[in-house]
Amino acid sequence: MKRQTTVTFLIAALMLLGSARNSYSQSITQSIKGNVYDSETQSPLVGATVLILDTDPLLGTSTDLEGNFVVQNAKLGRYTIQINYIGYEPAFFSEVLITSGKEVVLNAGLRQSVSEMEGLTFVAGIRKEVPLNSMATNSARAFTVEETRRYAGGLDDPARLVSAFAGVTTGNIQDNAIIVRGNSPKGISWRLEGVEIPAPHHFPNGNVAGGGVVTLFSSQMLANSDFFTSAFPAEYGNATAGVFDMNFRNGNYGKREHTVQTGLLGIDVASEGPIVEGSNASYIFNYRYSTFGLMTDLNLIPSDQLLKYQDLSFKFNVPTKHAGTFSLWGIGGMDNATEPEQRDSTAWYTDWDRVSFGWDVQTGAAGLSHRFIAGSQTFINTTIAATGVRNKMETFRLDDELTTRPEMLADDNSGKLSIGSYVNHKFSPRFSTKTGINYKVLFHNMEMNSTDDHQPDTYHNVVNNAGNSSALESYTQTRYILSQGVRLNAGINVGYFGLNNALNVDPRLGLSWAVTPAHRLSLGYGKHTQMEELKIYLVKEESGGSTTYPNKDLKLSVARHLVLGYDWNMTDNHRLKVETYYQHIDKAPGIADSSYSLINYKQEWAFGNTLENNSMGRNMGVDVTFERFLNNDYYYLITGSVFESKYKADDGVWRNTRFNKGFVANALLGKEYFFRDDNHVLGLNGRMTYVGGERMSPILLEETMQEKREIFDESRAFGDQLPSSFTADFTVTYRLNRRNHSSVWALQVKNIFGAPMHFGRYYNIQDKEVQMDKSVVIVPNLSYKIEF
């Protein structure tokens, strides 16, 4: 997509829906409800006590026969909620925000206590940085839906949120692709409700494979989720860089609640509630239509480039008395973008000005999940899911005679039907296992056409293939508590890819030692493999009337991760975490006798090169996190990473990778102000980021002048580095609680001071010289939300 070099602002007229009234005759209260269960067996915990701390008189209740609880008449504000059950570690939900617009729904999985073991002590409670997956040892963190709004620069987008975590950088402001510890964004695996899905973004893979404009579904759908940056547990296959493990929350089964939000990112309409009054079955859905799309439809945007998107997300959750719990969930999105070429050649500044494009994307995923508790120590989860994407990009280019010539066609119709099941069994408080299997049938229908080096007479077909293949994956992982604070997580992932008969056996190991209740050491190792995009394997060559597929037998890329970590829980609210890591990459595909390797892959729409498994790489670095959790109405998060990312292609030379930015530092700070009986809440949040520049290959000046477009010197691949960037983001929110609804105004601004973004170098046709491609991009999102 063409980069915009102007600042886009949206000013929307917002209706306050009667919120101007000023009545405080009675205090507003809200209900807190949820479910308490054994985190490893999913069995309900009957009689667990739930306390709302710092309330006077102390509010509390206990769970019923199904593990459900309801606390009535809680005053508005932030509170810590403590949940206790005999024989289990207590759980703490810190600084839970209680508002008038929606009931608070908490689902708490408690871990059985092993404190009776002599010498073994763990810090009790649920802390927000601890991953939900108990099999994770290193490089993992949970994130909440509230953080996607509260963290400045997040723009309600999980992908942008995690760029504040240690070890993570981003490409540029306009794209949410993330670079984990120097790896290409294509190495990220996206999972929803336990199912691997296509990168869930609007305009996916536009500038960077693995990125997009914004996440496909609204953050209002999200439950707490996990993000992994290295040595992830055995259940996660087909990923070499990181894993997003996201979940949709269940709707409120006791009360119908609705949300309407309008802002720059889109107009959202959401609803949740009981499917049938009086049952525990619930629904939740969210529909969003892009504000740009609406204004385009109304001819209110004076721009040649038109962007439109919309999406729908939903989840139905139906628990039964004897047959388990059924969940039907899904996401779907449609995108459209067009831009005409500049037909006046005297107005061309870059080679892109002579190019027009049309882009259509439809993305979807849906699944039916069933969770069954089989006895007191075991539960079984089974999911049938279908995912698919149709991504069609077509570009045309004006030649020197101003004749429109085809430049590129990429039409990718891919789908996947999968069935997977896992069994979680707890043998004892010390020992539990999770074992699963996934079978996938992959469907594809692809056509890729492209020119060679932008020469119009060379336009030809590089991929034209329809068919199917299969993939099988199985895993088992174990959590075992040894003694003296030592915890072992071990597992193995075995996969088979039918298209090229590739077999992988990937062991995983994690070991942690709680030296004291406040200090923990950890060690993690993992072997990880990943398939390439299907179009890579389907590149064809035609010779003598026969067609061959030279990339079909490519082996899978391999990454071996080794991580050493140290955690210091300095106080109840302060934490220091340091991780040092080394990653060795092997068998990465590349072009023979060249510097080209998919280790540096960013985006090539109509890929048509013959590849070999001839590249290797190494990433090493140190990540530091210092954090004060939200407490007494303020928080801060400071992260820093220093790293090196190198690769060696078939030419045998070690070089910087494209993504070897060298360093990144983030500082986030937030403060909340409660006033007027806590019915008004003002939130101020800021973020500063300083990050090294992306690497690029030098430009061959003479050839560039002759061709009037950029020609790069690949014999010195990634020998140059773009300037470092310093950006600041700001978010201000204002919540007004009324008796029957809650209103939230928010202003989120990325790059508030207008720091220039550097994208590379380009040839300026007007000035006849190579110049730095930079622009000032400020992204504001003014929004209003009402919950009722």
Side-chain angles (χ1 to χ4, degrees), residues 661-673:
K661 298 192 172 190
F663 68 92
V664 60
N666 290 282
L668 289 84
L669 174 67
K671 171 68 175 175
E672 288 182 330
Y673 298 90

Side-chain angles (χ1 to χ4, degrees), residues 453-454 697-714 763:
D453 204 24
H454 302 285
S697 300
I699 284 182
L700 294 169
L701 186 58
E702 184 176 337
E703 291 84 344
T704 294
M705 298 285 288
Q706 181 177 348
E707 295 290 329
K708 297 181 181 180
R709 58 183 176 83
E710 303 83 44
I711 307 297
F712 296 97
D713 184 359
E714 300 302 342
Y763 178 73

Side-chain angles (χ1 to χ4, degrees), residues 23-279:
S23 173
Y24 303 100
S25 59
Q26 296 180 359
S27 296
I28 302 173
T29 62
Q30 185 58 276
S31 298
I32 303 171
K33 63 175 59 173
N35 183 265
V36 183
Y37 55 91
D38 184 299
S39 63
E40 293 176 303
T41 67
Q42 304 294 298
S43 300
L45 298 181
V46 181
T49 58
V50 181
L51 300 175
I52 316 301
L53 304 184
D54 300 322
T55 55
D56 187 17
L58 185 67
L59 291 178
T61 188
S62 59
T63 58
D64 61 18
L65 293 177
E66 296 178 346
N68 296 322
F69 68 88
V70 178
V71 178
Q72 305 280 3
N73 301 319
K75 292 184 178 180
L76 306 187
R78 285 196 183 271
Y79 298 93
T80 295
I81 299 174
Q82 179 178 345
I83 302 176
N84 298 286
Y85 190 74
I86 296 175
Y88 283 74
E89 298 174 2
F92 294 88
F93 291 85
S94 301
E95 300 298 316
V96 175
L97 180 63
I98 301 175
T99 70
S100 63
K102 286 191 174 184
E103 293 181 334
V104 176
V105 180
L106 299 175
N107 294 310
L110 272 59
R111 297 179 182 176
Q112 194 167 357
S113 175
V114 289
S115 59
E116 68 273 10
M117 303 177 190
E118 184 177 355
L120 182 60
T121 307
F122 291 108
V123 178
I126 294 177
R127 301 183 59 162
K128 75 181 186 68
E129 87 283 2
V130 177
L132 304 178
N133 192 319
S134 63
M135 301 288 184
T137 304
N138 300 82
S139 307
R141 176 175 179 140
F143 62 91
T144 68
V145 61
E146 184 193 20
E147 289 172 326
T148 62
R149 163 142 297 197
R150 178 157 47 86
Y151 279 9
L155 293 180
D156 300 330
D157 185 346
R160 286 185 167 89
L161 162 74
V162 300
S163 65
F165 298 163
V168 183
T169 64
T170 57
N172 62 66
I173 287 177
Q174 294 168 298
D175 197 290
N176 67 0
I178 57 173
I179 301 162
V180 177
R181 293 179 170 175
N183 291 285
S184 169
K186 76 179 183 67
I188 302 290
S189 174
W190 296 85
R191 297 167 67 95
L192 179 62
E193 295 290 319
V195 175
E196 186 179 26
I197 61 174
H201 307 306
H202 284 295
F203 302 104
N205 309 320
N207 294 319
V208 183
V213 174
V214 66
T215 299
L216 188 68
F217 48 82
S218 171
S219 62
Q220 298 185 82
M221 293 290 298
L222 275 179
N224 291 357
S225 304
D226 282 342
F227 176 61
F228 302 86
T229 57
S230 195
F232 12 98
E235 67 184 272
Y236 303 113
N238 197 31
T240 53
V243 175
F244 266 97
D245 189 3
M246 298 177 291
N247 299 287
F248 281 165
R249 63 187 181 90
N250 296 330
N252 189 336
Y253 60 83
K255 178 183 178 182
R256 298 193 190 280
E257 298 174 329
H258 315 284
T259 301
V260 178
Q261 176 174 286
T262 180
L264 176 64
L265 294 181
I267 299 172
D268 290 68
V269 178
S271 179
E272 61 182 288
I275 298 176
V276 178
E277 296 290 346
S279 73

Side-chain angles (χ1 to χ4, degrees), residues 19 46 104 220 252 276 291 359 470 498 502 579 592 608 740:
S19 62
V46 181
V104 176
Q220 298 185 82
N252 189 336
V276 178
T291 306
W359 189 10
S470 62
E579 283 193 344
N740 296 317

Side-chain angles (χ1 to χ4, degrees), residues 449-480:
N449 300 326
S450 180
T451 61
D452 291 334
D453 204 24
H454 302 285
Q455 300 303 314
D457 293 334
T458 65
Y459 187 75
H460 66 289
N461 178 256
V462 294
V463 174
N464 190 1
N465 196 288
N468 62 80
S469 57
S470 62
L472 181 66
E473 181 182 27
S474 61
Y475 62 88
T476 184
Q477 53 192 26
T478 296
R479 181 181 69 88
Y480 188 77

